[in-house]
Amino acid sequence: MLKLPCPLEPPLIEFDSIHVNSISDASGIFIGTNTQVNWSTSGKTNNGLGEIDGDHNYVLYNINTVYDNDIIDAPYTKGDLIIGRV
């Protein structure tokens, strides 16, 4: 009868403390020697007003228009443009 080895224990991951104040799209936290394989991202943001940061800010009577008539916003590589992708 074939005896299977016992399952391996899961790795122990322990952090004393990690503080992340801000993380955005396609971000990561990598510690030590590592390689991210097949890591790719694409995205787009249009801001008509931009960002308002701080305390007690007021924006009154604003009118914002974003005119975005380009077909492709950034060059693409590695098959990023796939017709029919949602």
Side-chain angles (χ1 to χ4, degrees):
M1 178 176 220
L2 179 64
K3 183 176 179 183
L4 298 174
C6 60
L8 297 175
E9 293 292 324
L12 174 64
I13 300 173
E14 184 176 330
F15 299 111
D16 185 32
S17 71
I18 292 180
H19 301 279
V20 178
N21 292 327
S22 175
I23 193 161
S24 60
D25 298 337
S27 296
I29 298 173
F30 308 104
I31 299 172
T33 303
N34 56 75
T35 302
Q36 286 67 48
V37 178
N38 294 326
W39 182 283
S40 80
T41 183
S42 62
K44 175 183 176 179
T45 302
N46 284 333
N47 292 317
L49 178 62
E51 294 184 12
I52 308 294
D53 293 327
D55 297 328
H56 311 294
N57 294 307
Y58 297 98
V59 177
L60 302 173
Y61 310 110
N62 62 312
I63 297 174
N64 302 309
T65 302
V66 174
Y67 180 69
D68 184 16
N69 67 339
D70 50 348
I71 296 171
I72 296 176
D73 292 310
Y76 57 92
T77 58
K78 299 185 287 184
D80 288 344
L81 180 65
I82 298 174
I83 304 302
R85 182 192 301 188
V86 176

